[in-house]
Structure formats: structure tokens, C-alpha cells
Amino acid sequence: MDKLKTNWFTESCDMWPGGTFSFEVKEVLHTEKSKYQNIQVFDTTSLGKVLVLDGIIQCTQKDEFSYQEMISFLPLCCHKNPENVLIVGGGDGGVAREVAKHPQVKHIVLVEIDDRVIELSKRYLPFMAVGFDSPKLTLHVGDGFEFMKNHRQEFDVIITDSSDPVGPAVNLFQENYFSLMKSALKPDGIVCSQAGTIWNDIELVTNTLNFCKNQFPAAAYCYTSVPTYPSGQIGFVIGSLTKDIKFNEPQLTFTRDEEEAMNLRYYNSEVHRAAFALPTFVKYKLA
């Protein structure tokens, strides 16, 4: 929490050495150390409200919709009928907000380990925490591992909205986690997990995708643009128990009127297809 100097916050991390990202702070809205992590909330001059965990930017009001929409609608629209959805993490409520929009989703369970992230998001980030207001949502404060151990073959889609692999999120990037998700899925289920960026740690991307491939008959990497994330990009690993699935072909597409009604600002069927088109060096590295 010593990265705030002269009204500027600077994000730096060993996962992306040699570079930093800074933003100007209008007001420090909250600072505390919870049971699990350091939590900071800022009001900024150019990004709106910003949530920072353990010194790493989690979301900004300016561009959070890109991440939330893509980690949600990519797996949901790959599934033929995603009625029951589990979200692991996502304590800011943003992913729940997006999942609740999908017309086929009937029930959402969100499991977040840090109740302070939930409470502070409700207080300072209502544009995301509105996701907690959905009648589709059941909220559990606790460990996602333990929750899935007790819920076998229940979910159509499992979305893991984790921070980077430091602190409490480290275990969400291991193969045993993908195995556990597999056991909690229905026979045609799909998983989607935050998986890092190709520009800063392609080995992390490769390892995470391989863990997914080892557990699922079909797996792929896709990505979206988020300017305030390291390198301006973040990726997802997606896996399916259906071997012949075509991830780049959405099962459900939306009209322009439907996109507007759902307030989709980033996701559409063309962006869905493009998310799986990888640069040449990545395509062959992940093959």
C-alpha cells in the first residue's frame, strides 16, 4: 500500500517486470487489509472508481465492462442451454451482473472467499455490485474449492473470475482446480477461467491451457482488450466436456435491439468469433 505518491498510484509487479502503470488519484475512498488481501478503492481523474487488490488493479469504471462481458458471454454463448451457472470469485459483482443478463440463465451461484470485497464493492462500486441484486443469484461467502467438493455435476457453466496468481488466487491456476471444476459440471458443461496475457507471461498461459486440456476433451485460449490491465489485454482458458464443440461459433446470437436491451457495450457475435483468432506466435506456442 506504499505505491501511492503525490496523488498518483503506480501498479508494479514481479509478474510483469520492467514496466508500471500509473493513474492520478482524486480521492482515496478506502484502504484496509482484510483477512486475505490488501484492498484499496480510489476515485480517479480519468478512470472513475478503481478497485485494487494487493497492489494490482482489478477493475476500473472506464473499461471493466470489456472483461466482465467477455468472461461471461463467451462461455455462456458456447453452451446450448446454460441454465445453472457457478461463479468462483467475482466479489465485485461485475460478472454476476453480466451472467444475469443472459436470457437462458435461470440460477447463478457466486462463491467469494473475501466478504470485505463484496461489502466494499456494494458501497463504492455500485455499477458492478448491482449484480448482487439479481433474483437469479445465490451468494455464498467461502472457499470455491470446498464448495465444489460438495456440489457434483450441478452446473452447466463455471466461470472463475480470479485475480492474478498471487495470494489467495494461486490455487485457481493449478490442474487440480480444473479437475475439481470438471467434477462439478453437468455432462455437457463448460468452464472459463482468467488466464493471463500472452505479452507478459506466455508460459503462464501455456501451462494454464495445458492443465485445462488435460482435464477436458476440448479447450482453447481467447482474449479481450482491457486498457488498464498489463499490456492492455487479458485472456481466458475455456474448456468443454463436449469434444466436438466449436468455441468460435456462438450457439446463441443477439440482435442489435437485444444487445441494447442488455446494455452490452463490448460483446457481440463478431467479437466472440474474433476472440479465438490468435496471433501466429501464440497459435503455434499453444498448439
Side-chain angles (χ1 to χ4, degrees):
M1 293 193 180
D2 58 351
K3 298 178 180 179
L4 183 63
K5 297 181 180 179
T6 61
N7 296 326
W8 283 82
F9 174 86
T10 298
E11 176 192 67
S12 62
C13 181
D14 292 341
M15 289 185 293
W16 45 88
T20 63
F21 179 84
S22 298
F23 57 78
E24 188 176 15
V25 175
K26 288 200 303 185
E27 183 180 359
V28 179
L29 298 176
H30 193 87
T31 298
E32 75 170 71
K33 182 174 179 60
S34 75
K35 182 179 177 182
Y36 300 98
Q37 56 205 334
N38 292 320
I39 306 172
Q40 295 168 290
V41 185
F42 301 105
D43 190 11
T44 72
T45 59
S46 61
L47 303 174
K49 305 296 193 304
V50 177
L51 173 66
V52 174
L53 299 180
D54 284 336
I56 299 175
I57 296 167
Q58 301 303 304
C59 51
T60 80
Q61 191 170 359
K62 182 176 182 178
D63 59 14
E64 54 85 12
F65 62 91
S66 169
Y67 175 87
Q68 320 290 357
E69 290 183 20
M70 292 292 275
I71 198 174
S72 302
F73 278 89
L74 287 171
L76 292 175
C77 290
C78 283
H79 198 285
K80 292 181 179 179
N81 190 26
E83 292 185 349
N84 295 296
V85 179
L86 171 64
I87 302 168
V88 178
D92 53 45
V95 173
R97 180 193 69 198
E98 298 305 322
V99 172
K101 295 177 182 178
H102 194 285
Q104 293 173 317
V105 171
K106 293 182 178 179
H107 186 214
I108 306 164
V109 178
L110 188 149
V111 182
E112 164 63 47
I113 197 168
D114 195 337
D115 64 322
R116 293 300 296 154
V117 173
I118 297 170
E119 294 307 314
L120 293 171
S121 296
K122 289 180 178 180
R123 184 186 309 173
Y124 297 111
L125 311 172
F127 52 92
M128 288 192 292
V130 66
F132 294 117
D133 297 333
S134 171
K136 298 179 180 181
L137 183 74
T138 300
L139 176 62
H140 289 268
V141 176
D143 187 290
F145 272 79
E146 295 304 315
F147 182 88
M148 283 189 283
K149 287 176 183 178
N150 297 308
H151 294 80
R152 301 299 177 101
Q153 295 187 332
E154 288 191 18
F155 300 101
D156 299 303
V157 174
I158 299 175
I159 298 170
T160 304
D161 176 21
S162 71
S163 53
D164 292 302
V166 293
V170 169
N171 292 332
L172 305 181
F173 290 79
Q174 304 301 315
E175 186 168 347
N176 63 335
Y177 181 69
F178 285 91
S179 176
L180 189 59
M181 286 194 290
K182 180 180 178 181
S183 70
L185 285 175
K186 293 182 180 180
D188 58 349
I190 290 175
V191 300
C192 185
S193 294
Q194 193 267 98
T197 169
I198 57 174
W199 298 107
N200 288 333
D201 197 345
I202 197 167
E203 294 305 323
L204 172 66
V205 173
T206 303
N207 291 338
T208 307
L209 179 58
N210 285 338
F211 292 151
C212 189
K213 286 180 176 179
N214 290 343
Q215 297 297 324
F216 291 86
Y221 179 79
C222 51
Y223 60 93
T224 189
S225 171
V226 185
T228 53
Y229 283 174
S231 79
Q233 189 183 86
I234 194 73
F236 315 107
V237 161
I238 187 168
S240 174
L241 293 174
T242 302
K243 184 177 182 180
D244 59 354
I245 191 172
K246 295 181 179 179
F247 290 119
N248 63 343
E249 285 298 329
Q251 296 292 317
L252 180 65
T253 59
F254 305 114
T255 66
R256 177 58 180 156
D257 287 344
E258 289 170 330
E259 291 168 357
E260 289 182 352
M262 290 186 286
N263 191 31
L264 292 179
R265 293 185 284 166
Y266 194 95
Y267 178 88
N268 58 53
S269 58
E270 290 81 9
V271 167
H272 181 118
R273 296 182 182 99
F276 293 91
L278 302 178
T280 302
F281 79 98
V282 181
K283 178 180 178 181
Y284 292 108
K285 175 70 173 179
L286 301 183

